[in-house]
Each structure stands twice: as C-alpha cells, then as structure tokens.
Amino acid sequence: MTSERRRVGAQAARRALEVRRRLGVPLTDPINVYDAAERLGLDVWFFDIPSMEGVYQPGRRAIIVSSLRPAGRQAFTCGHEIGHDSFGDGQQFDELVDDRTDARRFDLKEFRADAFAGELLMPKTTVLQGFNERGADPCTCAPELYYAISCWLGVGYKTLVHHSLKVLRIIDRARAEHLMRVRLPQLRHRILGQPCVAHLILVDAQWRNRSVDAKVGDRLVLPRGAQIQGQCASLVEERPGFTIAEAVQPGLGRTTIGDWSSVIRVSRKSYVGRARFRFEEEVNGGD
Amino acid sequence: MLNDSARASAVTGIPMSEELRAEIAGRLRRAREASGLSQGQVARKLQLHRPTVSEIEAGRRRVSTDEVAEFAELYGVSSEWLMTGKIGGQNAADERLAVVARQLSKMSDADLDRLLGLLKMLRHSGAEDDV
C-alpha cells in the first residue's frame, strides 16, 4: 500500500468513526447503514437498474442503490455513498463491479469512499467483539463463524474476509484464501445440513441493539426454541441446535426466547422505493 | 404542451384543464410507484380513502395545492416536478451524470433514461450542486 493510500485510508477511517460517534452507535454494535443515512439527512432509494451499484446526488442529498444486488453488497454501497457525502465529493455514479474486493483503477475518491464504508460497517473493535462474544478466533474458527459475523454486521461474507485481511490485518493471506474458497451455497448447506438456495441470515443470541432485516423469501436461522410474533415471518422447522424461520411478507415482528429478543423487519424482495418505506406492511385492498 | 398560465392555474387552485390534470395525475402515480408505496399505503399515511388516491391518479379528481405538497413530502419528490414536470437548477448536473454513466457503465440508454427520470423528480435539498 502506498503512503498516499495509507494517508487517505486513515483519513476515511477517522471520518467514519466520527460519523458513528455523532450518531451514538457504540463500537460494540453493528451499524444499520440505511438508518444511519436517514439520520444524516440523506434520502436513500432503491432502484432496479442492473448495471449500477449506486449513485450519490448531493444537490438532492439522495443515494440510489441498485435493488438487484445482494443485501450485503447494497449495505456496502450505501456506506460508500455516505462516504462521498461526508467528504463533499460531488455527484458520483458507481458502476457495477464484479467484486468490490478486486483491485480497480486507483481513484482517490472511490478508494476513500470504500475505506469509509469499510470502517463504518466493520471497525476493528466491532469485528473483534463479534469473534470474542462467540468465543471464536478469527485465525482458526470455521467459515460458518465468519458467515455468522458477516450477517451480524450486515455485510457480505467475502467482504468481511477481505476486510479482515487487507484492512484489519487480523488474518494472513493463506487463511483468507482458505475462507474465500468456500462458496456460499456450500456454506448454507453446511449450516442447515441441506441445500438452500435462499439467502440465509444467521441470527444468534449475540444480536443485541440491532434488528434482523430480511427480504421476503430469506431464511432465518434463530436461536433454538425462538418464537415469532407478527405476520412478517413464520417458523419453518425446529432443529436440535437452532430454529429455522422464513420471511414471508413485508412488515415488522419480533423473535424472542427467554430474555433475548430482536425486532424482525421484512421488505419485499428486490424492493424498489424509498428506504424508509421498505418495511411497510401491505394494506388489504391495496393496488 | 401546456402554457405557464395553465400551470399557474393548477397551482393556485383555479380550475385546470383536463390535459393538465391528467399530466399531474400521471406524475403522482409515477412518484408513488418510485417511492415504493401502494395506493392503500398512501391512503393510510395521508388518512385518505383509498378510492380517493385512485381517483386522483386517474385524473378524475382535482388535487389542491396543499394536497400536492403533502404528496410531494410523502414521496420525497419536488412539488414543482409534480405540478410541471420540470425542476430548476439540476439540468447541468444531470447532464454530467449522464455523460459519466455512459462512459463508465454498460447501462443501456433505456436504463439511463429511467435513472435520470428518477433523479429529475427528487426533491432538491438546496445544497450546493457541485461536481
């Protein structure tokens, strides 16, 4: 990494931590990037254009995120666009990239916005807290633990592995390559013990101060015996170590077991619209 | 094409032509759909009857200036755009975005038009439009 990249990366990290502090999100907690954007006065929209990651429009203080990308990717893109806003970068159009973790032509604003998003979503303290609370060592734990922590942080599995290697430097290259070799369908199969094509959100008892945000059709792996209140999700199956549920319709609910509980918020699949309306319940007789 | 006095009459609540009412109705529908809400959800939020929203979007019921402002607030779009289909101060920025998007992406012209259409309707925050 050149000294210029180091300098810009450090600047972006400081700014992201300032934003977290300003919003009162402790370093022990994951941040919900859409809620953060709204609180910063940004209007986030989802729009169904396949060849775009995101757009930042300063004149309207608007962020547009592709509705056709995976949830973790969307969250990173939104964080990236908040970074553009935070640095007053002006209007930005971010094209579709095959993998954000790939090296791309160095552009200071893009690099800085990526670094900002990484720190906003995955500060070192938060990531290490995620491993510690689950009694896991990032250098030796199973890929399933990385998957669980990536769900908790609201980012993609590969994004977390890449960030752990390149930015946090808590794992070495061989370890990252080992983790990257595991494919997501394979991981879902290992977690559930059967093939699963749906997006899988692994929710454990360490989820505090954050909601379970899902899309219709997503599968939720909940602590064993968890119950669900509300119509947005329903229980599918009880397993020896966990409970499987499915997000079935937009709206709000809650999952509970004993003293633990978490809010569930479900949006339509590939939702198009303002982020603030994504969990609106359907109205009977609506168009 | 409607003239300015026709648009002004719509804004001030003076009876408007059917053509203008239909144009506004079409933009209200587009803005609602872009914002992610159904007619029923809009009716619930604005405490209207659902058929009222439907009638407005069909151009069969007149909307007052206050109602347009309420719709604009809910949808996050510009009242000016809802009334006229135009918005001041953003054309240059949108042109620049179009150039960048064309150069950078594989976005089709149709998708680019849709994206610019969305940007055009969004409410302006009053912030500096620098690029």
Side-chain angles (χ1 to χ4, degrees), chain A residues 7-247:
Chain A
R7 186 187 65 75
V8 171
Q11 180 194 26
R14 278 196 304 275
R15 184 66 63 87
L17 293 178
E18 277 171 27
V19 167
R20 270 183 158 260
R21 202 174 306 124
R22 195 172 357 136
L23 296 174
V25 181
L27 281 174
T28 48
D29 292 350
I31 192 169
N32 184 300
V33 76
Y34 307 112
D35 296 348
E38 296 276 342
R39 290 176 61 198
L40 291 167
L42 290 154
D43 202 0
V44 181
W45 296 68
F46 294 98
F47 199 55
D48 54 343
I49 288 187
S51 52
M52 170 197 83
E53 290 284 355
V55 170
Y56 166 60
Q57 222 297 348
R60 298 166 176 110
R61 298 220 63 214
I63 288 172
I64 301 173
V65 175
S66 172
S67 62
L68 304 174
R69 311 295 289 149
R73 185 64 156 268
Q74 290 176 319
F76 195 92
T77 297
C78 186
H80 175 99
E81 305 304 342
I82 295 173
H84 283 313
D85 178 71
S86 182
F87 283 102
D89 283 345
Q91 188 166 266
Q92 299 292 319
F93 172 85
D94 294 302
E95 65 179 326
L96 177 73
V97 286
D98 290 337
D99 190 339
R100 266 213 189 279
T101 60
D102 281 352
R104 51 179 171 174
R105 186 174 60 82
F106 182 72
D107 176 303
L108 185 141
K109 287 181 182 176
E110 296 307 319
F111 177 81
R112 189 170 59 191
D114 273 351
F116 176 96
E119 189 69 18
L120 187 69
L121 289 154
M122 301 171 282
K124 192 169 193 172
T125 305
T126 317
V127 173
L128 290 178
Q129 166 98 355
F131 283 104
N132 289 340
E133 282 203 331
R134 290 162 179 84
D137 178 346
C139 298
T140 56
C141 70
E144 287 88 330
L145 256 300
Y146 272 84
Y147 190 82
I149 292 166
S150 71
C151 292
W152 178 68
L153 292 167
V155 300
Y157 167 82
K158 287 188 172 179
T159 302
L160 175 61
V161 172
H162 180 266
H163 191 71
S164 299
L165 170 69
K166 292 281 190 178
V167 180
L168 305 183
R169 300 181 184 188
I170 57 175
I171 55 174
D172 61 23
R173 181 164 294 282
R175 170 75 171 150
E177 284 172 358
H178 167 73
L179 292 164
M180 288 288 198
R181 272 197 295 275
V182 183
R183 301 183 66 81
L184 288 181
Q186 193 184 346
L187 254 181
R188 291 195 295 261
H189 193 154
R190 280 162 58 164
I191 291 165
L192 290 181
Q194 63 188 46
C196 173
V197 291
H199 177 54
L200 195 66
I201 303 176
L202 222 49
V203 180
D204 54 28
Q206 278 69 42
W207 283 52
R208 291 181 299 271
N209 304 325
R210 70 149 302 168
S211 56
V212 179
D213 289 357
K215 298 175 183 177
V216 171
D218 288 353
R219 287 285 163 126
L220 314 177
V221 173
L222 304 173
R224 185 166 185 272
Q227 297 298 306
I228 289 178
Q229 298 163 1
Q231 307 296 313
C232 65
S234 60
L235 294 175
V236 174
E237 195 180 345
E238 195 73 47
R239 293 283 187 84
F242 52 84
T243 296
I244 304 172
E246 183 178 359

Side-chain angles (χ1 to χ4, degrees), chain A residues 48 59 91 95 274 281 285, chain B residues 41 50 74 93 104 114 119 125:
Chain A
D48 54 343
Q91 188 166 266
E95 65 179 326
R274 296 179 88 185
E281 286 178 23
Chain B
Q41 289 167 333
R50 187 191 165 283
L74 180 64
L104 281 180
R114 289 176 58 230
L119 284 170
S125 70

Side-chain angles (χ1 to χ4, degrees), chain B residues 34-122:
Chain B
S35 77
L37 292 171
S38 67
Q39 289 182 344
Q41 289 167 333
V42 171
R44 186 176 58 190
K45 284 184 172 296
L46 296 183
Q47 297 184 308
L48 298 169
H49 294 297
R50 187 191 165 283
T52 305
V53 181
S54 174
E55 290 287 298
I56 288 171
E57 290 189 359
R60 289 192 292 269
R61 180 190 176 285
R62 215 176 132 210
V63 281
S64 69
T65 313
D66 286 349
E67 284 173 326
V68 169
E70 275 193 77
F71 282 121
E73 176 68 25
L74 180 64
Y75 300 157
V77 303
S78 151
S79 292
E80 183 188 355
W81 181 84
L82 284 175
M83 294 304 301
T84 68
K86 292 179 180 173
I87 187 165
Q90 287 294 312
N91 290 343
D94 291 341
E95 286 300 317
R96 286 192 288 271
L97 178 73
V99 170
V100 172
R102 276 204 181 88
Q103 286 172 344
L104 281 180
S105 78
K106 302 178 185 79
M107 191 181 290
S108 68
D109 285 347
D111 280 347
L112 184 54
D113 286 345
R114 289 176 58 230
L115 176 62
L116 293 175
L118 174 67
L119 284 170
K120 199 169 281 183
M121 73 171 78
L122 301 190

